[in-house]
Amino acid sequence: MPQNQSPQMSEALRAAMASAAAKSAAGSNATDLLRPGIVPIQEQGSGSVVEPDPADRHSDVDLTTRYLGLELSSPVVASAGPLSQSVEGMQELAEAGVGAVVMYSLFEEQLRHEAARQEAIQELHEESFSEAMSYFPTQASNTGGITSRYLELLEKGANALDVPLIASVNGATHGGWTGVARRMQDAGAAAIELNIYLVPGEVSVSGSEIEDRHLEILQAVKDVVDVPVAVKLSPYFSSFGHTAVRLSEAGADGLVLFNRFLQPEVDIESLEVVPGVELSSPSEARLPRTWIAALRGRVTSSLAATTGVETSDDVVKYLLAGADVVMTTSALVRHGAGYARELNRGLAAWLDRKQMTLEQARGLLAVPTDVPADAYERAGYVAALERAKAVYGR
């Protein structure tokens, strides 16, 4: 053993090398890192799982799964996005076979603006005096406000759908706005998703402060609701794995990986910074898939994958890594709500072809819990670079 190679690193490297050798012997279409007891079926043709099945011959494949303690008919979930802005849109998603619908997010800034407006109305009338009995000051009210409209839609959607409807609140600070989660629960939300979109632009804020704020937001919501709470995270922590474990231990029922930071673009002609909004692409799935594979079996929280889902191949890859559910918005926006049906069909066809159940496939390629994850990941990194030298170094 080389002097600079730890026993853990050596073990992980041997595992990666053994897997690569097995895959090479089986052919380029073989499934990598198969656990004992699962024998792959040789692929036919191109092996693509995205081609729709008009006859729906795989409708008897059981796609039932559990997420946040909820029973879902499918691991394909519609994540927060524009398709959930109406009851009709949510019903279309449910009819297409999604296991659950996550409503679009209610933003902290919107809630703070409404609270400030109500406070201003109250202060306006605090010193008012009337000489006429017919004078009645305007009562502070949120009727017709963003929050009321959201809660009204949530209630209507929860009553209309036969799949769980998950409410979403997007914020970055610990404050009274988290109390809206209770109202979401009362309106019929089956669960709450906390989309913590926190860009640490202040250079004086430490990494530990950022982590602690996530925990504070989670605790504030857990204190006021009884329904499950999931936390949607970004990958930008000094030690993401440690943060994920802390959140799981603090009571997060689910972790959603990952939030996409919408980074601005620069217009060199107008000399302006412009907002950048783009639909995700499959290449973005590699990072969340890596972390889901590393966290599987190491946290008690449910694991939801999001970002980079375009075809049923992407759904399968996430499930093999260890995701409990696979969320998508971009694919449904591109192809319509009915595209969820094709994602389910492709997944069912793959399971049928591999002669596996969903539970047998889930986590099949996760990092083994008896191997140090950091050494395992580094072994894969070393193996990839060695392969690159062999392929491109000619």
Side-chain angles (χ1 to χ4, degrees):
M1 180 189 305
Q3 291 182 345
N4 62 346
Q5 192 176 103
S6 67
Q8 293 84 359
M9 174 65 181
S10 178
E11 180 182 357
L13 186 57
R14 284 198 299 272
M17 292 174 64
S19 170
K23 181 175 180 180
S24 176
S28 61
N29 288 330
T31 302
D32 197 9
L33 297 175
L34 289 179
R35 290 178 180 170
I38 302 295
V39 180
I41 307 282
Q42 184 66 35
E43 298 283 353
Q44 301 296 324
S46 66
S48 173
V49 299
V50 300
E51 187 175 340
D53 183 0
D56 205 15
R57 292 181 292 107
H58 308 286
S59 60
D60 58 337
V61 176
D62 184 13
L63 298 183
T64 303
T65 192
R66 291 188 69 80
Y67 174 58
L68 304 176
L70 304 171
E71 184 87 9
L72 307 186
S73 59
S74 165
V76 176
V77 171
S79 54
L83 298 181
S84 61
Q85 294 185 99
S86 68
V87 174
E88 294 73 22
M90 292 186 280
Q91 286 178 317
E92 190 175 356
L93 289 167
E95 290 167 2
V98 298
V101 175
V102 183
M103 276 187 67
Y104 66 92
S105 293
L106 190 58
F107 288 87
E108 170 189 351
E109 290 79 4
Q110 295 170 327
L111 295 167
R112 290 190 184 281
H113 175 75
E114 285 191 336
R117 181 176 179 274
Q118 297 304 324
E119 184 177 349
I121 290 174
Q122 290 175 336
E123 290 177 352
L124 178 65
H125 297 293
E126 277 182 357
E127 303 301 327
S128 296
F129 296 93
S130 174
E131 295 180 357
M133 292 298 293
S134 61
Y135 173 81
F136 293 97
T138 304
Q139 296 295 315
S141 170
N142 192 35
T143 302
I146 293 174
T147 306
S148 287
R149 291 197 297 271
Y150 186 98
L151 294 174
E152 181 180 357
L153 178 60
L154 171 58
E155 184 173 7
K156 290 179 178 178
N159 290 330
L161 301 185
D162 57 0
V163 300
L165 181 57
I166 301 172
S168 174
V169 59
N170 184 311
T173 65
H174 175 216
W177 63 270
T178 52
V180 76
R182 177 69 187 201
R183 299 174 66 187
M184 291 176 166
Q185 172 184 282
D186 294 343
I192 308 293
E193 181 177 285
L194 296 178
N195 189 337
I196 304 180
Y197 193 96
L198 174 56
V199 183
E202 178 54 61
V203 296
S204 63
V205 178
S206 68
S208 60
E209 289 179 87
I210 298 297
E211 293 179 17
D212 290 343
R213 190 182 301 175
H214 281 71
L215 290 165
E216 290 167 0
I217 293 172
L218 169 64
Q219 191 60 58
V221 174
K222 293 285 289 186
D223 284 345
V224 297
V225 300
D226 300 315
V227 296
V229 177
V231 182
K232 191 170 186 177
L233 298 161
S234 83
Y236 303 116
F237 292 87
S238 57
S239 177
F240 174 77
H242 181 253
T243 301
V245 170
R246 289 185 69 192
L247 287 166
S248 180
E249 292 175 345
D253 298 283
L255 301 176
V256 184
L257 313 185
F258 283 118
N259 199 345
R260 298 173 69 223
F261 279 169
L262 302 179
Q263 298 161 334
E265 184 56 277
V266 173
D267 187 322
I268 62 173
E269 296 302 326
S270 64
L271 304 181
E272 294 179 328
V273 177
V274 295
V277 180
E278 296 178 353
L279 298 178
S280 68
S281 62
S283 63
E284 296 176 64
R286 294 185 178 186
L287 182 59
R289 201 159 56 228
T290 297
W291 273 112
I292 287 171
L295 292 175
R296 179 75 182 181
R298 290 174 170 82
V299 295
T300 57
S301 306
S302 295
L303 295 173
T306 186
T307 299
V309 177
E310 175 61 21
T311 70
S312 55
D313 292 59
D314 302 313
V315 175
V316 170
K317 290 175 183 179
Y318 267 131
L319 292 170
L320 288 171
D324 291 293
V325 295
V326 181
M327 298 183 173
T328 180
T329 289
S330 294
L332 300 178
V333 169
R334 286 191 184 101
H335 307 290
Y339 187 65
R341 190 174 291 108
E342 305 305 323
L343 295 178
N344 279 327
R345 284 175 177 168
L347 170 60
W350 185 88
L351 290 170
D352 191 32
R353 187 167 66 251
K354 291 293 185 180
Q355 297 184 358
M356 277 193 271
T357 66
L358 182 60
E359 285 308 306
Q360 286 174 325
R362 181 176 283 114
L364 197 61
L365 304 187
V367 177
T369 55
D370 58 347
V371 174
D374 55 350
Y376 190 90
E377 297 292 347
R378 180 163 176 79
Y381 163 75
V382 172
L385 290 185
E386 290 299 317
R387 183 185 179 196
K389 287 194 291 185
V391 173
Y392 301 110
R394 298 172 183 174

